[in-house]
Amino acid sequence: MPIVFTFWLALLPFLSPDAPAPEPAIVGKDYCRIYGSVYLERDPKYKNNASHTVFLGEEEAFADMVVYRENNKLFADATAVWYITPSKAFADHILYVTDNRNLADITVHFTTVRSFAACRE
């Protein structure tokens, strides 16, 4: 009897005629939070371990992020400032690099000037 009562309580919000319909979740662009040590994964076997798929573009005009490569991990503390780590174990973010722009979540362009590093939403 307690199982039936618990099941009834769980379904009660869905059975009510005046209950609002569930709204679809809005997925935000959280790629602007990527900074610090970043590992660029290029092996397709480990694509599912990456948080985002990126395309490394040559043109700054079409990039979602203009990234500055920092040489010291301690100074990679701002938006779009990355320290490219050679080891996946020490990375804050793991990104999969693709050659197809259509499959990418983010387009990244690397700059040589730190003040030009920005995230474009």
Side-chain angles (χ1 to χ4, degrees):
M1 184 70 178
I3 295 173
V4 174
F5 183 69
T6 306
F7 183 69
W8 180 75
L9 284 177
L11 291 178
L12 186 63
F14 299 109
L15 299 176
S16 178
D18 58 342
E23 297 181 16
I26 299 172
V27 179
K29 295 183 179 179
D30 60 344
Y31 58 83
C32 290
R33 296 181 186 174
I34 299 175
Y35 64 90
S37 59
V38 175
Y39 180 75
L40 298 177
E41 181 67 62
R42 296 180 190 274
D43 192 357
K45 289 190 298 188
Y46 302 110
K47 179 181 180 180
N48 293 333
N49 294 340
S51 60
H52 296 285
T53 304
V54 298
F55 175 76
L56 303 178
E58 295 293 325
E59 299 170 1
E60 183 179 350
F62 302 115
D64 296 322
M65 288 185 77
V66 179
V67 175
Y68 175 72
R69 264 188 215 181
E70 185 61 57
N71 294 330
N72 190 340
K73 182 179 178 179
L74 297 175
F75 295 127
D77 58 354
T79 301
V81 178
W82 295 357
Y83 169 73
I84 307 297
T85 181
S87 175
K88 191 186 302 189
F90 298 113
D92 296 328
H93 304 279
I94 300 171
L95 305 176
Y96 176 71
V97 179
T98 182
D99 294 334
N100 190 347
R101 183 183 214 136
N102 296 328
L103 299 177
D105 301 329
I106 312 163
T107 304
V108 173
H109 173 75
F110 288 104
T111 183
T112 57
V113 181
R114 185 182 173 101
S115 61
F116 289 165
C119 179
R120 301 176 184 161
E121 294 187 83

